[in-house]
Amino acid sequence: MRFEGTRNFVATEDLKVAVNAAVALERPLLIKGEPGTGKTVLAQEIAEALGRDLIAWHIKSTTKAQQGLYEYDAVARLRDSQLGDARVHDISNYIIKGKLWEAFEADTAPVLLIDEIDKADIEFPNDLLLELDRMEFHVYETSQTIRARQRPIIVITSNNEKELPDAFLRRCFFHYIKFPDRETMQRIVDVHYPGISHMLVHEALTSFFTLRDLPGLKKRPSTSEFLDWLKLLLAEEIGPEILRETNAAKLIPPLHGALLKTEQDVHLFERVAFLARRG
Amino acid sequence: MFLGFFLALRQAGVKASLREFLTLQQAMQAGLAGFDAEHFYFLARATLVKDERLLDKFDQVFAAHFKGVLGPAPSGPEAVEVHELPAEWLRALAEKLLTEAEKAEIEALGGFEALMETLRQRLAEQQGRHQGGSKWIGTAGTSPFGAQGYNPEGVRIGQEQSRHRRAVKLWDQRAFKNLAGDAELGTRNLQIALRRLRRFAREGAAQTLDLPGTIGATARNAGYLDLHLVPERHNAVKLLLLLDIGGSMDDHITLCAQLFTAVRSEFKHLKHLYFHNCPYERLFTDARMRPQDAIATHDVLHTYDHNWKLVIVGDAAMSPYELISPGGAVSYWNEESGQTWLGRLLAGFPKSVWLNPVPERHWVYAQTTRLISEQMEGRMFPLTLEGLDGATRTLAR
């Protein structure tokens, strides 16, 4: 059982090693990298490649670690008790299972994605230490212990908004997804748009990497944005000649809205293009 | 296994733990790296490094530690350590690098064949890398063989490409150099670094529903609803920012502007004042620093109590008399020296740091930077991600 990338996902050699190590040793895999380099998609692809279910737990700033285990719906129980419902006598009716519980209970070990763990409170990873390490937790209300039948494959993504605690990091494998170079990008395009004209991709890649190398951009366009842009180019039937013309004249590329997301960046690019054309 | 590498990593500042080292051993035993050096590199990286800012350091240590162990080193002069150079390859290389005129000069040494023969002999005699001199193969010499030399009859060996023409090894590429933590930073990074300073506190009117409180109270009330409200949480940190403006600080305007933007959006209780070179008895509320914008430093000390955290941003580089003697200020007459005033500010605000936009390695060259750094008792930090990290830790303590 090895992860070798899938039809839809180009995995570099170092990523494969990291994923396989995490799967084999049953440790969580922590993925960081620029936005839009396929961190979240990776978990889906691992699930697909290994034939497992994917359980995604998307973290928000208000998410608590406890919510991943279970929640006790005290308000519902209170209401039921006031209405005289018979369910009220069994407290387990009011225990709502979290994503981690779901993953622990599954028959075959699923892939559990903990997405954007850095969005949560700074203590969040610490609260999950024991649960991720021993793969078990205790439900106080019903005094039962939930133990994982099979250790799930855990993929954690982070956008680096907060630093994660050392104790947490020590338990993970870590991989930083680099921004793909031109060759990898070419492979990614081939995977997503198999029949696409080589000329168009060549010109589009040239435009794209020129744009990314522009110093002073506030937000540099990412892989997913490039793929969107390529889709737009195809939909609008813009040929490689037009892209090349704009390259030669250093004008702003067509449909740039897919690549440049802030007003300042568009202005900056226009100014640079204008200077280049005059010079 | 690889204990030396592990210790070298720790010495270089990549604080891998014993547990991670054991994980690596476990992974090696499970055969995850196979017998491939590159896979071993990836595996070690995924196991031992957990911070992309340390990836570059890891690459350096890896390259240094396994140099020569995992195949020949890639860069030029080392290639001579391998003795069996194929003649046709040498010829091809020489032909590529020599002009027609130079090839004619080779005849001076008895023609190409003789040259190659001499080269082979010397390769056999030579034991290691060599630099300079006029006989051995090496770099920067005048021998006909080697790299970067001046002999027109010379055969250039290596330099750009490796002997096997393999691309540079992954760990020698140092692809993660840009992620190293001492690099300067953008607004977003700054904000993230500043978040450590958050101190949430509930202040003001009770507006939001206190759910746990309500449930508790309701339960105690025998099931009848008893609503409880609490005030919203706010960041209660108070920050006093003193910014050095003008003169030598002009070089750092972008960086300081970024810091200011980040600070202003992050803290509700923020007061910023300006000074030139060194704070004296007057500070200014406006960057133009006109007399009518002045505010007495004593008033500042009395208005803001010791709960405020003081952050001074400046390059701390000035003429020594501006800092240590009365009357040294450039713009007006100061009764007391800058050092005295700085001392008062530090006494008034026990939680204080100095952020210096000048890279740390240049600090030693300015006398006043050293003096102020001493007066700050080690609380002067460079204005980089790492420096800001240290500063917020100090302030939050």
mmCIF file of all heavy atoms in Angstrom, chain A residues 159-161, chain B residues 183-195 258 262 385 388:
data_model
loop_
_atom_site.group_PDB
_atom_site.id
_atom_site.type_symbol
_atom_site.label_atom_id
_atom_site.label_comp_id
_atom_site.label_asym_id
_atom_site.label_seq_id
_atom_site.Cartn_x
_atom_site.Cartn_y
_atom_site.Cartn_z
ATOM 1 N N ASN A 159 -1.642 27.010 7.406
ATOM 2 C CA ASN A 159 -1.227 28.156 6.588
ATOM 3 C C ASN A 159 -0.268 29.058 7.330
ATOM 4 O O ASN A 159 -0.043 30.200 6.933
ATOM 5 C CB ASN A 159 -2.444 28.970 6.153
ATOM 6 C CG ASN A 159 -3.014 28.458 4.866
ATOM 7 O OD1 ASN A 159 -2.289 27.948 4.028
ATOM 8 N ND2 ASN A 159 -4.310 28.565 4.711
ATOM 9 N N ASN A 160 0.239 28.579 8.435
ATOM 10 C CA ASN A 160 1.276 29.316 9.150
ATOM 11 C C ASN A 160 0.801 30.580 9.821
ATOM 12 O O ASN A 160 1.569 31.512 10.004
ATOM 13 C CB ASN A 160 2.399 29.690 8.188
ATOM 14 C CG ASN A 160 3.693 29.133 8.669
ATOM 15 O OD1 ASN A 160 3.730 28.542 9.736
ATOM 16 N ND2 ASN A 160 4.745 29.330 7.915
ATOM 17 N N GLU A 161 -0.495 30.670 10.150
ATOM 18 C CA GLU A 161 -0.929 31.888 10.815
ATOM 19 C C GLU A 161 -0.536 31.880 12.282
ATOM 20 O O GLU A 161 -0.425 32.916 12.910
ATOM 21 C CB GLU A 161 -2.438 32.054 10.671
ATOM 22 C CG GLU A 161 -2.805 32.398 9.256
ATOM 23 C CD GLU A 161 -4.203 32.909 9.129
ATOM 24 O OE1 GLU A 161 -4.828 33.197 10.154
ATOM 25 O OE2 GLU A 161 -4.678 33.013 7.991
ATOM 26 N N ALA B 183 14.833 36.413 7.258
ATOM 27 C CA ALA B 183 14.446 37.284 6.149
ATOM 28 C C ALA B 183 13.480 38.362 6.629
ATOM 29 O O ALA B 183 12.793 38.189 7.626
ATOM 30 C CB ALA B 183 13.795 36.466 5.050
ATOM 31 N N GLU B 184 13.423 39.469 5.895
ATOM 32 C CA GLU B 184 12.484 40.518 6.270
ATOM 33 C C GLU B 184 11.071 40.077 5.916
ATOM 34 O O GLU B 184 10.860 39.070 5.270
ATOM 35 C CB GLU B 184 12.854 41.811 5.548
ATOM 36 C CG GLU B 184 14.078 42.434 6.163
ATOM 37 C CD GLU B 184 14.491 43.686 5.429
ATOM 38 O OE1 GLU B 184 13.750 44.125 4.539
ATOM 39 O OE2 GLU B 184 15.552 44.210 5.756
ATOM 40 N N LEU B 185 10.095 40.870 6.352
ATOM 41 C CA LEU B 185 8.747 40.332 6.326
ATOM 42 C C LEU B 185 7.717 41.302 5.800
ATOM 43 O O LEU B 185 7.925 42.494 5.736
ATOM 44 C CB LEU B 185 8.386 39.916 7.744
ATOM 45 C CG LEU B 185 9.243 40.571 8.837
ATOM 46 C CD1 LEU B 185 8.665 41.880 9.252
ATOM 47 C CD2 LEU B 185 9.414 39.657 9.972
ATOM 48 N N GLY B 186 6.561 40.752 5.423
ATOM 49 C CA GLY B 186 5.454 41.559 4.950
ATOM 50 C C GLY B 186 4.468 41.825 6.066
ATOM 51 O O GLY B 186 4.584 41.294 7.155
ATOM 52 N N THR B 187 3.446 42.649 5.752
ATOM 53 C CA THR B 187 2.492 43.054 6.790
ATOM 54 C C THR B 187 1.821 41.873 7.462
ATOM 55 O O THR B 187 1.684 41.834 8.662
ATOM 56 C CB THR B 187 1.404 43.929 6.146
ATOM 57 O OG1 THR B 187 2.028 44.804 5.245
ATOM 58 C CG2 THR B 187 0.660 44.690 7.191
ATOM 59 N N ARG B 188 1.401 40.894 6.630
ATOM 60 C CA ARG B 188 0.656 39.767 7.176
ATOM 61 C C ARG B 188 1.506 38.967 8.156
ATOM 62 O O ARG B 188 1.057 38.634 9.239
ATOM 63 C CB ARG B 188 0.207 38.878 6.022
ATOM 64 C CG ARG B 188 -0.677 37.775 6.495
ATOM 65 C CD ARG B 188 -1.334 37.073 5.351
ATOM 66 N NE ARG B 188 -2.112 35.994 5.888
ATOM 67 C CZ ARG B 188 -3.271 36.147 6.496
ATOM 68 N NH1 ARG B 188 -3.772 37.355 6.643
ATOM 69 N NH2 ARG B 188 -3.925 35.128 6.967
ATOM 70 N N ASN B 189 2.768 38.730 7.752
ATOM 71 C CA ASN B 189 3.673 38.023 8.651
ATOM 72 C C ASN B 189 3.841 38.778 9.958
ATOM 73 O O ASN B 189 3.875 38.199 11.031
ATOM 74 C CB ASN B 189 5.040 37.849 8.003
ATOM 75 C CG ASN B 189 4.991 36.863 6.875
ATOM 76 O OD1 ASN B 189 4.000 36.148 6.749
ATOM 77 N ND2 ASN B 189 6.013 36.830 6.075
ATOM 78 N N LEU B 190 3.949 40.109 9.829
ATOM 79 C CA LEU B 190 4.116 40.933 11.015
ATOM 80 C C LEU B 190 2.929 40.779 11.943
ATOM 81 O O LEU B 190 3.070 40.612 13.142
ATOM 82 C CB LEU B 190 4.242 42.404 10.616
ATOM 83 C CG LEU B 190 5.586 42.840 10.072
ATOM 84 C CD1 LEU B 190 5.480 44.222 9.488
ATOM 85 C CD2 LEU B 190 6.609 42.843 11.180
ATOM 86 N N GLN B 191 1.724 40.831 11.349
ATOM 87 C CA GLN B 191 0.523 40.716 12.166
ATOM 88 C C GLN B 191 0.500 39.399 12.919
ATOM 89 O O GLN B 191 0.152 39.352 14.090
ATOM 90 C CB GLN B 191 -0.711 40.801 11.277
ATOM 91 C CG GLN B 191 -1.226 42.211 11.150
ATOM 92 C CD GLN B 191 -2.323 42.268 10.134
ATOM 93 O OE1 GLN B 191 -2.194 41.751 9.046
ATOM 94 N NE2 GLN B 191 -3.399 42.903 10.500
ATOM 95 N N ILE B 192 0.888 38.360 12.179
ATOM 96 C CA ILE B 192 0.879 37.040 12.805
ATOM 97 C C ILE B 192 1.871 37.004 13.959
ATOM 98 O O ILE B 192 1.588 36.489 15.024
ATOM 99 C CB ILE B 192 1.183 35.964 11.759
ATOM 100 C CG1 ILE B 192 -0.010 35.854 10.828
ATOM 101 C CG2 ILE B 192 1.457 34.635 12.409
ATOM 102 C CD1 ILE B 192 0.311 35.275 9.495
ATOM 103 N N ALA B 193 3.042 37.635 13.712
ATOM 104 C CA ALA B 193 4.041 37.659 14.774
ATOM 105 C C ALA B 193 3.535 38.445 15.978
ATOM 106 O O ALA B 193 3.838 38.117 17.125
ATOM 107 C CB ALA B 193 5.331 38.248 14.257
ATOM 108 N N LEU B 194 2.752 39.477 15.712
ATOM 109 C CA LEU B 194 2.283 40.329 16.805
ATOM 110 C C LEU B 194 1.154 39.701 17.605
ATOM 111 O O LEU B 194 0.833 40.149 18.689
ATOM 112 C CB LEU B 194 1.793 41.665 16.241
ATOM 113 C CG LEU B 194 2.896 42.613 15.785
ATOM 114 C CD1 LEU B 194 2.303 43.759 15.005
ATOM 115 C CD2 LEU B 194 3.670 43.140 16.968
ATOM 116 N N ARG B 195 0.537 38.656 17.025
ATOM 117 C CA ARG B 195 -0.626 38.086 17.710
ATOM 118 C C ARG B 195 -0.299 37.539 19.083
ATOM 119 O O ARG B 195 -1.182 37.401 19.909
ATOM 120 C CB ARG B 195 -1.219 36.960 16.873
ATOM 121 C CG ARG B 195 -2.021 37.489 15.740
ATOM 122 C CD ARG B 195 -2.765 36.375 15.129
ATOM 123 N NE ARG B 195 -3.473 36.873 13.965
ATOM 124 C CZ ARG B 195 -4.230 36.126 13.212
ATOM 125 N NH1 ARG B 195 -4.375 34.865 13.517
ATOM 126 N NH2 ARG B 195 -4.845 36.615 12.190
ATOM 127 N N GLN B 258 5.303 49.077 7.159
ATOM 128 C CA GLN B 258 4.644 47.770 7.273
ATOM 129 C C GLN B 258 4.367 47.437 8.733
ATOM 130 O O GLN B 258 3.276 47.004 9.089
ATOM 131 C CB GLN B 258 5.525 46.674 6.674
ATOM 132 C CG GLN B 258 5.428 46.605 5.170
ATOM 133 C CD GLN B 258 6.316 45.518 4.616
ATOM 134 O OE1 GLN B 258 7.186 45.010 5.307
ATOM 135 N NE2 GLN B 258 6.098 45.169 3.373
ATOM 136 N N ALA B 262 0.669 46.953 10.483
ATOM 137 C CA ALA B 262 0.337 45.713 11.196
ATOM 138 C C ALA B 262 -0.061 46.009 12.634
ATOM 139 O O ALA B 262 -1.061 45.498 13.128
ATOM 140 C CB ALA B 262 1.529 44.772 11.167
ATOM 141 N N LEU B 385 11.327 38.513 11.289
ATOM 142 C CA LEU B 385 10.324 37.632 11.883
ATOM 143 C C LEU B 385 10.840 37.037 13.197
ATOM 144 O O LEU B 385 10.138 37.007 14.200
ATOM 145 C CB LEU B 385 9.981 36.523 10.896
ATOM 146 C CG LEU B 385 8.571 35.949 10.994
ATOM 147 C CD1 LEU B 385 7.545 37.036 10.877
ATOM 148 C CD2 LEU B 385 8.360 34.913 9.922
ATOM 149 N N LEU B 388 11.117 39.858 15.867
ATOM 150 C CA LEU B 388 9.817 40.252 16.377
ATOM 151 C C LEU B 388 9.269 39.177 17.309
ATOM 152 O O LEU B 388 8.622 39.464 18.309
ATOM 153 C CB LEU B 388 8.872 40.469 15.192
ATOM 154 C CG LEU B 388 7.706 41.413 15.442
ATOM 155 C CD1 LEU B 388 8.216 42.764 15.867
ATOM 156 C CD2 LEU B 388 6.866 41.541 14.201
#
